Amino acid sequence: MSYNLSLYRFSDGELARPDMDAVRAVLSPARAEPEKVSDGATEFWIRAADGSEAEVGVFERFISVENPQAGDVWKIVVELTDQLGAGILVPNGTFLCPEDMRAHLPEGMERDSSFIPAITLEAIERVAGPFMDPLT
């Protein structure tokens, strides 16, 4: 099954740009192919040490993670989300985010959000449930 996740960070109710220095720092050890820029996005094909892979697209206001395979690539996704101070929009439409992001969300977004102390693999599995393959 094909699926993707979107990583968003908000500041004062507005989408914030991803920090490219943080993105490169997290993804550079796992890059399987050189980054390329197309259609306004910087794309990375990443591979974790166990061989699991995902395509990561960094856009002006969000990051897309497409078809992450089961395995350690999820640890990279969690680290990236944490380093960016972002939350994850999972396939069922729930925005999974750290509790400290609550005050920065746009008005009305709280009702579709699930607040947790920190983004973890277990939290993603719990919220995303049947929409995703086992992560590890």
Side-chain angles (χ1 to χ4, degrees):
M1 176 169 78
S2 171
Y3 57 91
N4 73 0
L5 309 167
S6 298
L7 283 55
Y8 297 95
R9 186 173 67 83
F10 294 92
S11 179
D12 299 322
E14 300 291 328
L15 282 170
R17 291 179 181 263
D19 177 348
M20 284 304 293
D21 290 336
V23 170
R24 285 186 183 97
V26 172
L27 299 185
S28 63
R31 192 176 313 150
E33 291 183 15
E35 72 182 59
K36 55 188 171 184
V37 178
S38 63
D39 297 328
T42 302
E43 298 177 6
F44 300 85
W45 186 264
I46 59 170
R47 180 177 295 129
D50 69 351
S52 58
E53 299 176 325
E55 184 177 341
V56 178
V58 182
F59 296 85
E60 184 176 340
R61 301 282 183 207
F62 74 98
I63 295 176
S64 173
V65 180
E66 297 183 26
N67 297 315
Q69 298 174 342
D72 288 346
V73 76
W74 282 96
K75 293 176 183 175
I76 298 167
V77 172
V78 168
E79 180 183 359
L80 179 61
T81 306
D82 181 58
Q83 290 298 312
L84 293 172
I88 299 176
L89 181 62
V90 296
N92 69 4
T94 301
F95 186 63
L96 180 64
C97 63
E99 180 63 45
D100 62 359
M101 188 182 287
R102 183 185 299 261
H104 293 281
L105 294 178
E107 187 174 327
M109 194 168 169
E110 278 188 53
R111 70 178 163 269
D112 295 323
S113 299
S114 180
F115 299 96
I116 55 175
I119 302 291
T120 64
L121 290 173
E122 295 78 18
I124 296 170
E125 287 176 321
R126 186 175 61 252
V127 172
F131 293 93
M132 303 172 88
D133 293 331
L135 307 180
T136 56

